Amino acid sequence: MSNPNDRANGGTFTFAFDKPVNLESMTFLDTESAPKITLTFEDGSTEVLFGPEVADGAQALFTFNKEKVTQMKIRLKESGAVDNIKYNTCEGGGNGDPHIKPWDGER
C-alpha cells in the first residue's frame, strides 16, 4: 500500500527560464526551516537569499522583485513545497527602455 508524503530530508527545485524574467514572488508551504534560494542573473552573477521558515501546515508569501533572472534553485533542508511562482518577461521596447513601446496611433 502506498503512503504518499513529502521528502523529510529535503531536496532542490531548479527552475531554468528560457528568457530572463522579472521574478516577483512565490509561496512557500510547510518548509519548517529557511530554504536557500540561489538566483542566477542574465550577466552570470548570482545572489543567495533565504526564504521564510513556515510552520507545519502553514504558508507564507515571499517577495523577490528581482530583474533579469535566468535560473532559480531552491534548496529545502526538510520537507516543504513551493507554489504560485509569479514572474513576467520584459520584452524590448523603443528608445532603449524595455518598458516603452513605440506609439502606433494617429496624431
Side-chain angles (χ1 to χ4, degrees):
M1 180 172 182
S2 176
N3 185 15
N5 198 354
D6 51 10
R7 188 169 169 87
N9 59 349
T12 302
F13 294 105
T14 300
F15 300 90
F17 302 102
D18 291 336
K19 294 181 180 180
V21 300
N22 297 332
L23 190 57
E24 296 174 9
S25 64
M26 68 186 306
T27 302
F28 285 93
L29 299 99
D30 191 20
T31 57
E32 298 169 13
S33 63
K36 179 181 177 182
I37 306 162
T38 304
L39 302 177
T40 303
F41 298 93
E42 185 176 37
D43 65 1
S45 64
T46 60
E47 181 176 348
V48 175
L49 307 168
F50 290 91
E53 293 182 16
V54 183
D56 192 26
Q59 60 183 334
L61 180 67
F62 186 76
T63 303
F64 292 97
N65 293 324
K66 300 291 182 179
E67 297 181 350
K68 299 181 181 178
V69 176
T70 57
Q71 185 180 74
M72 173 173 60
K73 287 188 178 184
I74 302 167
R75 171 74 177 121
L76 300 177
K77 293 179 187 175
E78 301 176 36
S79 65
V82 298
D83 194 13
N84 302 320
I85 300 170
K86 294 187 180 180
Y87 65 90
N88 62 64
T89 57
C90 193
E91 302 299 329
N95 301 323
D97 186 330
H99 303 286
I100 297 175
K101 300 290 182 190
W103 183 59
D104 294 333
E106 294 181 27
R107 293 180 191 236

